[in-house]
Amino acid sequence: MKKILLTLTLIIGSFALSAQQFDKQIEKLVAKTEKDVIEWRHWFHQNAELSNREFKTAERITSILKEIGYEPQTGIAKTGVVAILKGGKPGPVVGLRADIDGLPVKERVELPWASKQMGEYNGEQVPVMHACGHDTHISILLGVAKMLWEIKDEIPGTVKFIFQPAEEGAPKGEEGGAKLMVKEGVLKNPDVDAIFGLHINAQTPVGTLKVRPEGIMAAVNSMRIDIRGKQAHGSAPWDGIDPVVTAAQMINNFQSIISRNMQLTEAPAVLTIGAIHGGVRYNIIPEDLYMLGTIRTLDADMRTQILQRIREVAQKTGESNNAEVEVWIDEGYPVTYNEPSLYEKMLPSLKRAAGDENVEIIKPITGAEDFSFFQEQIPGLYFFVGGCPPDRDPKKVAGHHTPDFYVDDAGMKLGMKAMMGLTLDYMNN
């Protein structure tokens, strides 16, 4: 124990360490903790739960934190858990966040610890799986909590561990996720100065990290458009008002919003209609239908323009067909935005954890993350850690949110090293 404390004192006291020296010193703590982290990961994976229903997950997180020595707060944003570590020396407050919910996906990966859990989603019983790696996020953060506890007397500052529910979205009619945590004051008392979060990635090799300054993931909005026409026999369309034809025209017109109204050299944007529901028979023009879609943007002004143009195009297309149209667009998530000065300050920490050659500066991703609600309040840094096994081709493995999604236990090691390095370096810099 004395050797470990001496090692971390050296880390805290020196910022000129090479990547090799940094790895060697942090590795001692990681090596002690990795077995526990893997065991925890298998349990959380096997016991996946849906958003705002992470009851067993929260109980297990709480139990582990108490075993380490923490006094966790529970019931935050419904099922969230928060623990605070006060270091032995004065310093800033660092927030570390992990999301904890699973998805309504049936697992096809043959694992001894595969999920066989069921849950309720949109009123139906569905299989539940950690199909996005949140089980690894939980376990990495618990591992960091355990390692930092061992050296708490040497830490110059405070760490707030945030285990967040409902990142995948709260059930219909409920609040949840990072937005609710912020609303309930998770970044206060003590006030968090900066927050760090990671996401394991199935298409990134184990041992590598991906990051970028500014927008790393897109803002997201979902929409529903109802089109009401007049029912008629399919053989006499002139007797009705066809919502199907109106929908087809509307979808084509939507694409021109992106391709003709947006300056895509400034930032990418995506508008996708993912579902159309209407009609019951081949020879009946239905009275109405509805469409569901998603909008992804990386620029706030473009986001405002696109949402406005969607409403305009929908209404005008409906009018041109004598159909009634209603448009609903949700508030969504903001851009996951890595504050540039924090990024520049902490990039050396990531490079020391992984090695310069293993840190890739990437282009923006049009996926979305509610970590962005924390970043709206305080500076935050979000990055990706590799989970693709060395014997697999990252371009051919199954993607996130699919039944065959898989990430290797070995990927969590670098996740722990990176979070440790970010925390200690921020406190001392």
Side-chain angles (χ1 to χ4, degrees):
M1 184 62 184
K2 289 181 179 179
K3 289 182 179 179
I4 293 170
L5 288 175
L6 177 59
T7 293
L8 267 295
T9 301
L10 289 172
I11 293 171
I12 290 168
S14 173
F15 296 96
L17 295 174
S18 69
Q20 291 80 8
Q21 289 171 317
F22 178 82
D23 285 344
K24 183 178 179 181
Q25 291 167 340
I26 290 290
E27 196 74 36
K28 292 181 180 180
L29 281 175
V30 173
K32 285 183 59 179
T33 313
E34 187 177 16
K35 182 180 177 182
D36 288 337
V37 169
I38 291 172
E39 290 178 358
W40 296 334
R41 186 267 170 116
H42 292 181
W43 189 94
F44 289 118
H45 189 92
Q46 200 166 21
N47 292 277
E49 296 174 291
L50 294 174
S51 303
N52 277 1
R53 303 293 184 269
E54 308 95 332
F55 303 114
K56 290 188 297 183
T57 303
E59 288 177 6
R60 178 73 167 167
I61 291 168
T62 301
S63 174
I64 292 169
L65 288 169
K66 286 181 176 179
E67 288 175 9
I68 294 170
Y70 291 93
E71 297 178 1
Q73 305 165 34
T74 60
I76 312 297
K78 300 186 184 295
T79 52
V81 181
V82 174
I84 296 172
L85 177 91
K86 189 171 182 179
K89 301 176 183 180
V93 180
V94 174
L96 302 178
R97 173 269 203 172
D99 37 12
I100 70 174
D101 51 332
L103 285 158
V105 175
K106 182 175 177 61
E107 183 156 21
R108 281 201 300 246
V109 185
E110 293 185 4
L111 298 169
W113 34 276
S115 175
K116 295 180 174 60
Q117 300 300 312
M118 300 291 292
E120 184 178 315
Y121 185 76
N122 287 340
E124 297 183 10
Q125 285 295 305
V126 295
V128 184
M129 172 193 174
H130 271 296
C132 203
H134 296 185
D135 52 328
T136 68
H137 303 171
I138 302 167
S139 305
I140 288 169
L141 191 54
L142 286 170
V144 173
K146 183 175 182 180
M147 290 187 289
L148 289 175
W149 181 268
E150 292 191 24
I151 59 166
K152 61 182 183 295
D153 292 341
E154 301 298 321
I155 294 175
T158 299
V159 185
K160 183 175 281 191
F161 301 94
I162 301 169
F163 295 87
Q164 178 215 306
E167 188 281 324
E168 300 291 355
K172 187 176 181 180
E174 297 183 21
E175 290 185 283
K179 184 178 180 182
L180 183 56
M181 281 199 137
V182 170
K183 181 178 176 180
E184 293 186 0
V186 76
L187 299 178
K188 303 293 184 181
N189 192 32
D191 293 355
V192 179
D193 295 298
I195 188 165
F196 301 114
L198 60 73
H199 202 304
I200 203 157
N201 185 261
Q203 289 90 14
T204 300
V206 166
T208 60
L209 301 177
K210 293 181 178 181
V211 69
R212 66 169 280 110
E214 300 182 338
I216 188 168
M217 297 186 78
V220 59
N221 296 89
S222 62
M223 65 178 177
R224 171 175 169 142
I225 299 175
D226 282 32
I227 303 174
R228 185 174 180 84
K230 179 182 177 183
Q231 190 161 315
H233 196 290
S235 65
W238 47 84
D239 289 337
I241 297 172
D242 194 336
V244 177
V245 170
T246 304
Q249 294 175 0
M250 197 177 291
I251 292 169
N252 283 333
N253 292 340
F254 282 157
Q255 298 312 307
S256 68
I257 296 174
I258 304 299
S259 65
R260 293 296 179 267
N261 299 157
M262 296 299 113
Q263 190 171 347
L264 297 178
T265 56
E266 296 295 324
V270 175
L271 195 168
T272 296
I273 299 297
I276 302 178
H277 297 270
V280 294
R281 185 176 166 85
Y282 70 94
N283 63 348
I284 299 175
I285 293 171
E287 185 173 58
D288 52 36
L289 61 75
Y290 70 90
M291 303 188 295
L292 304 175
T294 185
I295 307 108
R296 308 293 172 119
T297 52
L298 281 142
D299 179 270
D301 289 338
M302 288 174 65
R303 185 188 198 191
T304 300
Q305 292 176 53
I306 290 170
L307 300 189
Q308 178 181 339
R309 289 291 291 143
I310 286 170
R311 293 185 173 93
E312 292 171 351
V313 168
Q315 291 296 339
K316 297 301 182 182
T317 305
E319 289 175 13
S320 70
N321 287 279
N322 295 316
E324 298 176 9
V325 174
E326 289 188 88
V327 180
W328 290 273
I329 301 177
D330 75 348
E331 184 179 6
Y333 297 171
V335 173
T336 306
Y337 187 84
N338 287 335
E339 204 279 323
S341 63
L342 182 65
Y343 165 85
E344 293 295 337
K345 181 178 179 179
M346 306 315 304
L347 184 59
S349 301
L350 295 178
K351 289 184 175 180
R352 279 168 45 201
D356 286 17
E357 70 283 3
N358 294 318
V359 177
E360 180 182 354
I361 311 305
I362 59 172
K363 295 180 180 180
I365 294 169
T366 50
E369 238 285 354
D370 77 346
F371 186 79
S372 52
F373 285 110
F374 299 123
Q375 292 173 310
E376 279 193 322
Q377 305 298 316
I378 59 173
L381 182 69
Y382 192 79
F383 62 97
F384 296 96
V385 60
C388 181
D391 61 344
R392 298 190 188 181
D393 184 346
K395 295 179 181 179
K396 296 181 180 180
V397 298
H400 293 238
H401 291 219
T402 69
D404 300 305
F405 170 82
Y406 172 77
V407 288
D408 199 304
D409 288 337
M412 296 188 290
K413 184 175 180 179
L414 180 54
M416 288 189 284
K417 288 177 65 176
M419 288 296 236
M420 285 285 286
L422 290 169
T423 302
L424 295 173
D425 284 355
Y426 181 86
M427 287 179 167
N428 286 277
N429 194 6

